[in-house]
Amino acid sequence: MLRLSWSTFRERWQLFIGATLTVCLGVALVQSSLLILVSAAVGGYVEAIALLGITLGISAFLAVFIVSSTFAFTVAQRRRDLALLRLTGAARGQVRRLLLSEATLLGLLGTALGVPLGLLVMRAQSWLLRDLGFVPAEFAPRWQGWILAVSAGIGLGVAVSGVLAASRRAAKVRPLEALRDTGEAARVMTGLRWFFGILFLAGSVSLVIVSSFAGPEGAIPLAVNAALTAAVALSALSPLVVPLIGRVFGVALRGSTLGGLAQANLWDGVRRSASTAAPLIVLVALLLGQSGTLLSIGEAGQVEQRRDLRGDLVVTAQGQTGAASVPGVDVAAPQLRLPVRTTTTTYEGDGEYETEADNVDALVVDPAAYARTHRAEPVAGSLTRLRGNTVAVTADSGFPLGTTVDARIGDRDVPLRVVAVLPMTFAGGSMLLPVDAVPAAVAARAPSETIVRLAPGADAGAVRGALGEFGEVRTLEEWIDQSASRQQQVSTGIMTVILGLAGLYALIAVVNAVVIAAAERRREFAVARMSGLTRGQVVRLALLESWAVAAIGLVLGGLAGAGTWVGIGAATERIAGQSTIVVPWTLLGVVVAGALLVVGATSVWTAWSATRARPVSLAGAAE
């Protein structure tokens, strides 16, 4: 069976090269993310670990999803070949073993190419993390010998699992139905499509609902998962949308010969259109869902700061300042930013316990001055008790009022008693410490912002000039805008790390699907030319079809991405008091234009290549 599989692979290499490429890229991306994640865990780079964990999950999902859809499409393109095998005496089990043998060969070949490619991808990802500041400049991931076994398992696993469902369906189809393209062979919306479409759609709705009740830290991973599940659901149900898009397409190009033919091809090639649109749906859903979530969270943080802060000027410096002594200053509330490592111990009975460490951002404040420059009131406890080894935490921290937080401040371990619980916030700073809980040497090195309220009748210009000797002085509005700009840069970095190479993988999968679709249409194009169409008209026909398929992917991907904004809008309204849904219009325009350009250019190139030979020789060739 392996010999027959290898012969088929050599004969139909144009059809199999796309599947091999998707396995290769999937292995490279997962291998790279896993190696960097292990190295980051050894170094204790918490932010990088969190980002790489999400990146690894998305990479694994894309590998399985794209390889599965590519293999399913490849098998569907060969249903006539498989039907002829059945007619010549092959049993259903032999057809399945043939396809599984081909998947094994493709998995081995993809793994062999993906392992060295993964080293290049690892360098690119490491450079990206260093450039964005998530790891230090000296960070260099180490090669692990066991990764070869993991990569082989990934390559073979996704290849074989990707072809399992397609091989089962191909073996069940009656040979004559496959040859005539009738009955079960012609049905695109199979039971599995309905099952997974409805299942993942329900999962996406559930995640959106959960995200509306989540805290700030849970919003991003929930949004990503909601976008992924929605993309899978709409990809499975996309054959229902293809005829609708075809009808709209026909109305828009009414009276055009090429438009009518393109509409007919969409109706006839529903499976081809749905398979081509699937990776584009995932790409658009991820980009729009992730960017919309980050932008909305950033906007919610600005809304919170404008609503909560009471001040006129902000002094940015190192350590505490003497701003309170400047004439014309009514209140000066310094807040020092300090990373604190907390340790949570959970006892599981029988003397066993589990310890979990976490790095949090703390603000070191003077409680009295803080209360005079902030409107937000604690939901439990009181800030007046914030002195000594005490702490105020946000409601989503997991530390109830009265419990003790084991924290490491500087180079000493300190037990901190929770005396106040603050509302959840998108503006940053999940813990408040009193000044006397932090060693003076540590506080002197910490960056600080001092919120200044002017006394009635004070000369703002004179006070601002006097405060300049302590550090950089801005108005409160300018400082909020600068914080938003800094947060936007961080959000862009997060999205780049999570979706940079994964998005490129999805884009390559889109191109690959277009190439596979065109590889099996040489005879169809030849018949169209013999019917009177010129070569240029056939190429323009393929371009119109590809743009219609791209429109399907863009619409469904946009719906999947926009669905996550519902949950984010509800979460920001609950936490920030105002629903802040930010639509990334610029990115949306770039995605639409880029998708049409890439899909269109690929379609033109493949159609031009497919029509290079004389139509008579192709039309009369055996299929």
Side-chain angles (χ1 to χ4, degrees):
M1 194 61 69
L2 284 174
R3 182 179 300 176
L4 179 59
S5 300
W6 180 246
S7 300
T8 306
F9 180 78
R10 288 187 301 172
E11 181 183 351
R12 306 289 294 274
W13 66 268
Q14 300 95 335
L15 196 61
F16 290 113
I17 196 67
T20 306
L21 179 63
T22 55
V23 174
C24 168
L25 293 174
V27 169
L29 196 56
V30 174
Q31 171 187 292
S32 170
S33 300
L34 186 57
L35 284 174
I36 299 176
L37 178 61
V38 171
S39 298
V42 172
Y45 307 120
V46 179
E47 290 184 349
I49 292 171
L51 290 179
L52 287 167
I54 299 176
T55 304
L56 179 61
I58 292 177
S59 301
F61 164 80
L62 286 177
V64 174
F65 176 81
I66 291 176
V67 170
S68 298
S69 60
T70 302
F71 270 72
F73 187 28
T74 303
V75 172
Q77 294 287 80
R78 298 173 55 208
R79 60 185 180 274
R80 294 177 65 86
D81 294 349
L82 299 176
L84 289 174
L85 283 176
R86 294 283 308 281
L87 287 174
T88 56
R92 289 181 176 180
Q94 289 176 311
V95 171
R96 292 191 63 186
R97 286 197 296 274
L98 172 66
L99 294 174
L100 290 174
S101 298
E102 292 172 356
T104 302
L105 289 175
L106 292 177
L108 291 172
L109 183 57
T111 300
L113 297 174
V115 169
L117 180 62
L119 297 178
L120 299 178
V121 174
M122 184 175 67
R123 291 184 180 180
Q125 278 188 304
S126 301
W127 170 83
L128 192 61
L129 288 168
R130 289 192 297 265
D131 186 64
L132 294 172
F134 292 108
V135 294
E138 65 273 10
F139 175 78
R142 297 177 56 188
W143 171 262
Q144 307 286 340
W146 49 261
I147 199 66
L148 289 174
V150 174
S151 297
I154 294 169
L156 289 173
V158 297
V160 173
S161 61
V163 83
L164 275 176
S167 64
R168 185 181 297 110
R169 181 169 185 264
K172 286 183 178 179
V173 175
R174 296 177 179 177
L176 290 179
E177 289 181 350
L179 288 174
R180 298 171 180 173
D181 202 16
T182 59
E184 185 69 21
R187 189 161 63 93
V188 181
M189 282 305 300
T190 61
L192 283 177
R193 275 188 176 271
W194 280 110
F195 174 77
F196 284 110
I198 295 174
L199 176 66
F200 279 91
L201 186 60
S204 179
V205 173
S206 300
L207 287 172
V208 169
I209 294 174
V210 172
S211 66
S212 64
F213 295 98
E217 292 185 356
I220 294 178
L222 284 173
V224 172
N225 289 329
L228 289 177
T229 53
V232 173
L234 294 179
S235 297
L237 300 175
S238 59
L240 301 175
V241 183
V242 171
L244 298 178
I245 297 291
R247 185 174 289 111
V248 173
F249 197 67
V251 172
L253 297 176
R254 183 177 297 169
S256 168
T257 302
L258 293 182
L261 287 174
Q263 179 187 12
N265 284 336
L266 285 175
W267 278 80
D268 185 62
V270 171
R271 181 183 286 107
R272 179 177 64 236
S273 301
S275 299
T276 306
L280 187 58
I281 294 172
V282 174
L283 174 63
V284 175
L286 280 175
L287 290 177
L288 295 187
Q290 177 73 13
S291 61
T293 297
L294 292 175
L295 291 174
S296 298
I297 290 175
E299 181 67 22
Q302 292 185 61
V303 170
E304 283 184 320
Q305 288 182 322
R306 289 189 172 92
R307 182 195 61 194
D308 181 45
L309 294 177
R310 295 186 293 179
D312 301 294
L313 301 173
V314 178
V315 182
T316 304
Q318 197 81 11
Q320 297 201 53
T321 66
S325 62
V326 174
V329 172
D330 184 26
V331 181
Q335 43 189 50
L336 285 67
R337 297 190 175 272
L338 189 69
V340 174
R341 188 172 183 84
T342 63
T343 304
T344 305
T345 302
T346 304
Y347 292 93
E348 301 177 346
D350 299 330
E352 297 184 0
Y353 61 90
E354 182 179 354
T355 302
E356 181 179 354
D358 190 18
N359 289 339
V360 298
D361 294 325
L363 294 180
V364 182
V365 301
D366 175 1
Y370 181 88
R372 295 183 63 186
T373 55
H374 292 73
R375 294 186 177 89
E377 297 287 341
V379 297
S382 174
L383 291 179
T384 59
R385 303 172 61 188
L386 190 63
R387 55 184 179 273
N389 291 339
T390 58
V391 64
V393 297
T394 54
D396 58 339
S397 66
F399 297 107
L401 185 68
T403 58
T404 299
V405 179
D406 295 323
R408 186 171 185 82
I409 303 175
D411 57 355
R412 66 189 183 112
D413 295 321
V414 182
L416 303 173
R417 185 167 53 89
V418 178
V419 296
V421 178
L422 303 171
M424 288 187 292
T425 177
F426 288 110
S430 59
M431 180 181 290
L432 294 184
L433 295 174
V435 176
D436 51 358
V438 179
V442 176
R445 297 191 301 267
S448 68
E449 296 102 15
T450 303
I451 312 298
V452 175
R453 284 176 57 186
L454 300 179
D459 185 345
V463 174
R464 183 169 185 171
L467 291 172
E469 67 175 285
F470 300 110
E472 190 173 1
V473 184
R474 299 181 183 84
T475 66
L476 181 62
E477 195 66 26
E478 290 172 345
W479 179 75
I480 291 176
D481 290 341
Q482 186 190 52
S483 298
S485 177
R486 188 164 52 246
Q487 179 62 38
Q488 178 61 34
Q489 292 178 355
V490 173
S491 298
T492 301
I494 291 174
M495 192 174 72
T496 303
V497 170
I498 294 177
L499 298 180
L501 295 174
L504 181 61
Y505 179 31
L507 182 62
I508 292 174
V510 174
V511 174
N512 175 45
V514 175
V515 173
I516 293 177
E520 295 297 298
R521 300 185 68 187
R522 286 185 171 86
R523 188 170 182 273
E524 177 187 333
F525 290 156
V527 172
R529 291 178 65 188
M530 293 179 64
S531 302
L533 295 182
T534 65
R535 187 182 185 188
Q537 287 177 314
V538 171
V539 172
R540 289 197 296 273
L541 173 62
L543 176 62
L544 289 175
E545 288 183 48
S546 68
W547 277 347
V549 173
I552 295 171
L554 291 170
V555 170
L556 295 182
L559 287 175
T564 64
W565 304 342
V566 177
I568 294 301
T572 54
E573 183 174 11
R574 179 173 54 86
I575 296 174
Q578 177 181 328
S579 179
T580 56
I581 300 177
V582 180
V583 180
W585 293 111
T586 301
L587 179 62
L588 180 60
V590 171
V591 168
V592 171
L596 294 176
L597 178 63
V598 170
V599 172
T602 306
S603 178
V604 168
W605 173 69
T606 53
W608 186 261
S609 300
T611 55
R612 184 174 300 160
R614 295 177 58 190
V616 174
S617 61
L618 290 175
E623 295 188 34

